[in-house]
C-alpha cells in the first residue's frame, strides 16, 4: 500500500485522493478497542469459523487489547434489499446481454440460470417459499431487481442511511476495529459458485465500503469436525446441506478471521491485521 500511496501514483491516476500512507497509525502499539462477533444472523458459520474468532479474541485480550461484543446491523435486511437488489437492479439484463453467446464457466452456470428465470416466476417462487424458507424466498425477491428509476434512487438513499446507521453503532461503542468470521474452510473445487449465499460475511463490507482483510489464524481440528456433524444451519435447506458437506473432512485446512476498519482507515485495518498475525503465530504453526 505504501508503494501505491505515493506522488507518482497520484499523478498517474488523478481520481485517487492524494493522501499519503499514515505510517504513524500503522506502526502504533497503542492498545485497540476491538468489536467482535461470531455470527451475522444471516448465515450460520461453520464450527471452525466460530472457533477462529473466539480463540483470536482471547489471544488479543491477553495481548492487552479490549474486546467488546458487537451485534451486526440488520444483515438479512441488507442482503435482501440492498445487496441482492443492487446486483440485480436491472434484473440482470446488462450482464445477460454481455455474456450472450459466450462460454460460461460450468461452476457459475447456476448463478446465470437464476437470473434468467422470468420475473413472474421469481415472484411466484417468493410467495410459495416464504412460509418455509424466508431466506431463499428473499433471494428470489431480491433477484426481481427494482421496479423503476425512482425506486433505484430511493434504494441508494436507503443504502446511505444504512451506512450512516452502521457507523453510528460502531462509534457509539468507541471501537477502533472489528473482528469477525471469514468464510471457510475452503470449499471443494467447483462448489463456490453454488454457495454465494454464504458470502454475507464479506459482502456486507463491500456494501458499507469498509476496508477489510482476511488473516489465517489456525487450522481445522478434529473438534470442529465433530461439531459439524450436528450442523443444520437456520433452515437445513439445500444450501446448508451443501455447505456442511463441503466443509467437512477438512482437518488441517487453514481457517481465518476478518479484520475491518471504518472508511479511509486502511492503515488501521492493516495494523490490526498485523497484530492478529502476531498473536496467532503459534496457532498457525501447529
Amino acid at each position: 500500500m505504501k508503494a501505491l500511496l505515493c506522488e507518482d501514483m497520484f499523478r498517474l491516476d488523478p481520481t485517487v485522493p492524494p493522501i499519503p500512507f499514515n505510517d504513524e497509525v500503522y506502526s502504533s502499539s497503542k492498545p485497540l478497542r476491538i468489536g467482535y462477533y461470531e455470527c451475522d444472523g444471516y448465515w450460520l458459520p461453520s464450527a471452525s469459523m466460530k472457533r477462529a474468532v473466539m480463540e483470536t479474541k482471547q489471544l488479543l485480550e491477553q495481548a492487552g487489547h479490549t474486546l467488546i461484543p458487537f451485534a451486526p446491523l440488520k444483515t438479512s435486511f441488507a442482503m435482501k434489499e440492498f445487496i441482492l437488489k443492487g446486483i440485480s437492479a436491472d434484473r440482470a439484463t446488462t450482464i445477460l446481454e454481455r455474456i450472450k453467446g459466450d462460454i460460461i464457466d460450468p461452476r457459475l452456470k447456476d448463478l446465470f440460470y437464476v437470473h434468467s428465470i422470468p420475473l413472474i416466476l421469481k415472484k411466484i417462487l417468493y410467495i410459495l417459499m416464504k412460509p418455509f424458507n424466508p431466506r431463499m424466498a428473499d433471494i428470489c425477491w431480491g433477484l426481481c431487481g427494482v421496479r423503476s428509476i425512482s425506486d433505484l434512487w430511493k434504494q441508494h438513499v436507503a443504502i446511505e442511511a444504512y451506512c450512516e446507521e452502521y457507523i453510528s453503532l460502531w462509534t457509539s461503542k468507541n471501537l477502533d476495529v472489528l473482528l469477525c468470521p471469514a468464510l471457510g474452510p475452503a470449499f471443494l473445487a467447483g462448489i463456490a459458485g453454488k454457495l454465494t449465499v454464504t458470502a454475507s460475511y464479506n459482502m456486507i463490507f463491500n456494501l458499507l465500503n469498509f476496508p477489510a482483510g482476511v488473516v489465517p489464524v489456525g487450522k481445522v481440528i478434529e473438534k470442529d469436525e465433530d461439531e459439524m456433524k450436528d450442523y443444520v444451519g437456520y433452515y437445513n435447506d439445500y444450501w446448508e446441506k451443501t455447505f456442511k458437506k463441503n466443509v467437512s473432512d477438512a482437518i488441517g485446512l487453514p481457517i481465518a478471521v476478518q479484520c475491518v476498519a471504518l472508511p479511509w482507515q486502511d492503515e488501521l485495518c492493516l495494523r490490526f491485521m498485523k497484530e492478529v498475525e502476531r498473536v496467532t503465530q503459534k496457532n498457525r504453526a501447529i
Side-chain angles (χ1 to χ4, degrees):
M1 182 166 279
K2 286 183 181 180
L4 292 173
L5 299 180
C6 64
E7 289 298 327
D8 289 340
M9 294 302 292
F10 297 146
R11 191 162 49 249
L12 287 170
D13 187 356
T15 65
V16 176
I19 304 173
F21 187 86
N22 191 331
D23 201 56
E24 182 179 351
V25 171
Y26 177 69
S27 303
S28 173
S29 57
K30 178 183 175 182
L32 297 168
R33 284 181 58 85
I34 305 167
Y36 73 93
Y37 64 86
E38 57 180 354
C39 182
D40 67 359
Y42 182 77
W43 185 267
L44 194 66
S46 65
S48 59
M49 288 169 67
K50 292 190 288 186
R51 181 174 60 83
V53 170
M54 299 313 291
E55 287 188 355
T56 303
K57 166 193 174 288
Q58 186 176 8
L59 291 168
L60 288 165
E61 286 176 327
Q62 292 172 1
H65 303 286
T66 302
L67 277 290
I68 300 102
F70 182 86
L73 183 66
K74 299 182 290 190
T75 305
S76 296
F77 176 81
M79 286 292 293
K80 173 190 173 184
E81 294 295 333
F82 303 147
I83 295 175
L84 291 171
K85 276 192 175 181
I87 293 172
S88 307
D90 65 348
R91 298 168 191 162
T93 301
T94 302
I95 190 169
L96 291 174
E97 286 178 352
R98 294 287 180 89
I99 64 168
K100 189 175 182 179
D102 205 345
I103 298 172
I104 300 175
D105 188 320
R107 289 161 291 194
L108 299 177
K109 280 188 176 180
D110 287 356
L111 290 176
F112 291 110
Y113 171 73
V114 296
H115 282 299
S116 303
I117 297 173
L119 177 62
I120 186 64
L121 183 54
K122 291 176 185 174
K123 291 183 176 180
I124 292 172
L125 288 172
Y126 167 75
I127 294 170
L128 293 176
M129 289 190 293
K130 190 66 175 176
F132 310 104
N133 192 325
R135 183 176 58 205
M136 192 173 285
D138 286 346
I139 288 174
C140 287
W141 183 256
L143 293 175
C144 292
V146 295
R147 291 176 296 180
S148 65
I149 298 298
S150 174
D151 285 338
L152 181 62
W153 280 111
K154 290 175 182 177
Q155 187 204 44
H156 288 181
V157 171
I159 289 172
E160 288 184 8
Y162 177 75
C163 293
E164 290 173 2
E165 189 178 356
Y166 210 105
I167 291 172
S168 294
L169 177 63
W170 183 304
T171 55
S172 70
K173 293 180 176 292
N174 196 26
L175 301 180
D176 295 311
V177 289
L178 187 63
L179 174 73
C180 50
L183 186 61
F187 297 153
L188 297 174
I191 296 298
K194 301 178 185 296
L195 286 172
T196 52
V197 65
T198 63
S200 59
Y201 290 94
N202 312 93
M203 284 182 173
I204 196 69
F205 298 115
N206 290 333
L207 175 72
L208 292 165
N209 200 26
F210 287 9
V214 172
V215 182
V217 296
K219 297 176 182 178
V220 178
I221 60 175
E222 191 170 345
K223 181 184 176 183
D224 300 326
E225 293 287 298
D226 291 339
E227 291 184 15
M228 284 304 294
K229 291 176 183 176
D230 298 321
Y231 181 92
V232 294
Y234 289 121
Y235 304 104
N236 198 27
D237 59 18
Y238 164 78
W239 287 321
E240 283 159 332
K241 290 175 181 177
T242 303
F243 177 74
K244 177 181 178 179
K245 179 180 178 181
N246 283 275
V247 297
S248 298
D249 299 323
I251 293 176
L253 287 182
I255 54 175
V257 295
Q258 192 171 194
C259 303
V260 187
L262 289 174
W264 303 106
Q265 296 294 324
D266 301 63
E267 294 91 344
L268 184 57
C269 183
L270 288 169
R271 186 236 157 152
F272 182 34
M273 292 172 68
K274 180 175 65 172
E275 180 67 0
V276 168
E277 191 175 52
R278 184 185 70 83
V279 300
T280 60
Q281 186 174 5
K282 289 183 180 179
N283 286 8
R284 296 197 312 276
I286 295 174

